Amino acid sequence: MKFVDEVAITVKAGDGGNGCMSFRREKFIPKGGPDGGDGGDGGSIFLEADPNLNTLVDYRYTRRFNAQRGENGRGKDCTGAKGEDMVLPVPVGTTIVDAGTQEIIGDLTEPGQRLLVAQGGFHGLGNTRYKSSVNRAPRQTSNGSLGEQRDLKLELKVLADVGLLGLPNAGKSTLIRAISAAKPKVADYPFTTMVPNLGVVDVGQLRSFVIADIPGVIAGAAEGAGLGTRFLKHLSRTRLLLHLVDMAPLDQSDPAEAVETIIHELGKFSPALTMRERWLVLNKCDQLLEDEQQAILDDVVERLEWDGPVFVISAAERQGTDELAKSVMNWLDERTQRLLDDEDYAKAQAELDQAIEDEARAHIQALDDRKALRKQGLLNDEDDDDFDDEDDEDGPEIIYVR
């Protein structure tokens, strides 16, 4: 199943039914008066969060949805039937944006949550409604109003407590396999991970958190290099970032420079995202001696002037992974309690979340605008080749464990 996290659709609510003009005609009652019924209301369109969905692939090809129109009124005071409402299921974590104004209509973050996106038209009135003592044979009716039509952009952001960040082959997928039941693809070449993966980490009885792995980010990603920065938006909902670094890269690259590369690209994508709580995790320690591990650790901390938590692990050998998972769980519990006890902290976190959302959407919209200009021949920028899988019919399969 192809992973699709952005789609554009058009929704059109049903029009209201027209009122009927009719007069009662029965045997021995030649002038029975008006009996035209009202029309029915048009059907509305709702989006509903479905926990059984994890991609927007259903809206990749079918992008226009019309709700049922209300029936017209009939004689004998018969009211037209109401148009049936249309409910479109979307994954939990979907943000609905008005494509024309870029206004956020709603955010479906809870299973079963429903959002009205197009209001059905109001029914027209039959001539019965217009009768009075001075107008006993009214010939006035009204037509039903048009249903609302909107162009929408659906954006899916996976819901996870912890997000993994790092260069390709840093060991992010291996770490998820080590601490959760998720089984993402692992191989010895870059960009093994093509789509976000989710895993549930159990830490003791009734204690667990969700961790998300996104495709690796490389230098120049903010301008579209590699897989670009589109998948970074999935980190905007996380509470904690784990920055994985390969301690013993095969190309003999510098671990400290690898950290700086990611921070630089992260700042280009969303400066506010760099303010999110972030821990440094040095991976693949099993390939080094203990004195070499300590030397690399000291060098990275000193050059980066790092004052946050640092962990040295081997995801492949599962060394230090349990301690890391427990530390993450304890931090998440403490954060939850602090949000309840400290109003200033809760307000600051809410403002940070909103800033990350806004900056991420603005960055991706800028990429879309440049891509649209190139397609129209109005922009010729060979260096700005944003990753676009819109025409990729055989996209990667998603591996999701929830």
Side-chain angles (χ1 to χ4, degrees):
M1 177 172 60
K2 185 173 179 59
F3 179 77
V4 178
D5 60 356
E6 286 185 18
V7 294
I9 64 173
T10 299
V11 293
K12 172 67 169 66
D15 299 335
N18 300 328
C20 174
M21 186 179 69
S22 174
F23 293 92
R24 182 183 177 191
R25 291 292 183 266
E26 297 182 19
K27 191 176 182 179
F28 308 120
I29 308 178
K31 297 181 181 180
D35 65 351
D38 299 338
D41 293 331
S44 300
I45 298 182
F46 296 85
L47 295 183
E48 183 176 8
D50 187 344
N52 297 317
L53 297 179
N54 49 33
T55 174
L56 294 168
V57 68
D58 294 335
Y59 304 100
R60 179 175 173 85
Y61 301 108
T62 305
R63 299 196 176 187
R64 185 175 183 86
F65 300 89
N66 298 321
Q68 188 177 15
R69 182 184 185 276
E71 292 186 0
N72 295 332
R74 300 179 183 178
K76 298 184 179 180
D77 292 319
C78 291
T79 301
K82 181 183 182 298
E84 184 176 354
D85 291 337
M86 177 179 287
V87 180
L88 303 178
V90 295
V92 179
T94 300
T95 301
I96 299 90
V97 182
D98 189 296
T101 64
Q102 298 302 314
E103 174 191 3
I104 299 177
I105 301 174
D107 203 0
L108 302 179
T109 58
E110 299 292 337
Q113 186 177 355
R114 184 176 288 192
L115 177 68
L116 174 66
V117 293
Q119 177 65 54
F122 188 71
H123 61 266
L125 303 179
N127 64 337
T128 304
R129 296 280 191 173
Y130 295 93
K131 68 181 179 180
S132 66
S133 59
V134 296
N135 187 12
R136 297 187 178 186
R139 284 172 170 75
Q140 298 98 331
T141 61
S142 65
N143 296 329
S145 61
L146 298 178
E148 188 177 11
Q149 177 172 331
R150 306 180 81 167
D151 294 326
L152 304 177
K153 183 178 181 181
L154 308 184
E155 301 176 353
L156 172 62
K157 300 184 184 71
V158 297
L159 299 179
D161 303 300
V162 180
L164 297 182
L165 189 65
L167 293 174
N169 273 8
K172 301 184 294 297
S173 298
T174 305
L175 177 59
I176 279 194
R177 294 174 68 98
I179 63 178
S180 75
K183 300 299 179 184
K185 182 179 180 181
V186 174
D188 58 352
Y189 56 84
F191 297 114
T192 307
T193 301
M194 299 293 290
V195 297
N197 299 308
L198 290 181
V200 179
V201 182
D202 292 323
V203 184
Q205 188 175 12
L206 301 179
R207 300 183 73 202
S208 64
F209 62 88
V210 180
I211 188 169
D213 171 26
I214 67 168
V217 178
I218 64 175
E223 286 74 33
L227 295 183
T229 53
R230 288 186 175 274
F231 288 122
L232 281 177
K233 68 182 179 184
H234 294 287
L235 300 179
S236 62
R237 295 186 190 271
T238 59
R239 300 176 177 87
L240 173 66
L241 298 178
L242 297 183
H243 192 155
L244 261 69
V245 184
D246 188 350
M247 296 186 69
L250 297 178
D251 58 359
Q252 305 297 319
S253 59
D254 188 353
E257 292 182 358
V259 177
E260 293 174 342
T261 297
I262 294 297
I263 295 176
H264 179 68
E265 296 301 327
L266 203 63
K268 284 186 177 180
F269 177 78
S270 169
L273 189 56
T274 62
M275 305 301 294
R276 181 75 78 193
E277 180 74 17
R278 184 159 42 92
W279 293 1
L280 192 61
V281 181
L282 303 181
N283 191 23
K284 303 183 182 181
C285 67
D286 58 304
Q287 301 182 20
L288 300 171
L289 299 176
E290 290 187 5
D291 54 346
E292 294 176 330
Q293 296 176 21
Q294 189 62 42
I296 293 177
L297 173 61
D298 294 339
D299 179 65
V300 171
V301 171
E302 180 181 358
R303 291 172 56 187
L304 297 177
E305 299 180 355
W306 189 270
D307 57 357
V310 182
F311 294 84
V312 178
I313 68 168
S314 172
E317 300 297 330
R318 302 194 177 187
Q319 297 178 13
T321 55
D322 290 341
E323 292 77 5
L324 175 61
K326 291 178 181 178
S327 298
V328 170
M329 188 74 258
N330 293 334
W331 184 88
L332 291 173
D333 290 341
E334 293 173 359
R335 180 183 184 275
T336 301
Q337 188 61 41
R338 186 177 178 185
L339 289 174
L340 296 175
D341 298 338
D342 191 341
E343 294 184 359
D344 294 337
Y345 178 75
K347 181 180 178 180
Q349 290 300 307
E351 293 176 350
L352 178 61
D353 293 342
Q354 188 60 51
I356 294 174
E357 289 271 356
D358 295 341
E359 292 174 356
R361 181 169 294 106
H363 181 87
I364 294 175
Q365 185 61 43
L367 292 178
D368 291 339
D369 292 342
R370 289 202 299 269
K371 182 168 59 180
L373 291 175
R374 286 199 307 273
K375 288 183 177 180
Q376 298 174 8
L378 301 177
L379 178 65
N380 185 17
D381 188 355
E382 297 179 355
D383 297 330
D384 184 22
D385 188 16
D386 181 35
F387 173 78
D388 180 23
D389 67 343
E390 190 70 18
D391 298 323
D392 182 11
E393 300 295 337
D394 301 319
E397 292 186 347
I398 181 174
I399 306 171
Y400 254 77
V401 175
R402 303 198 69 166

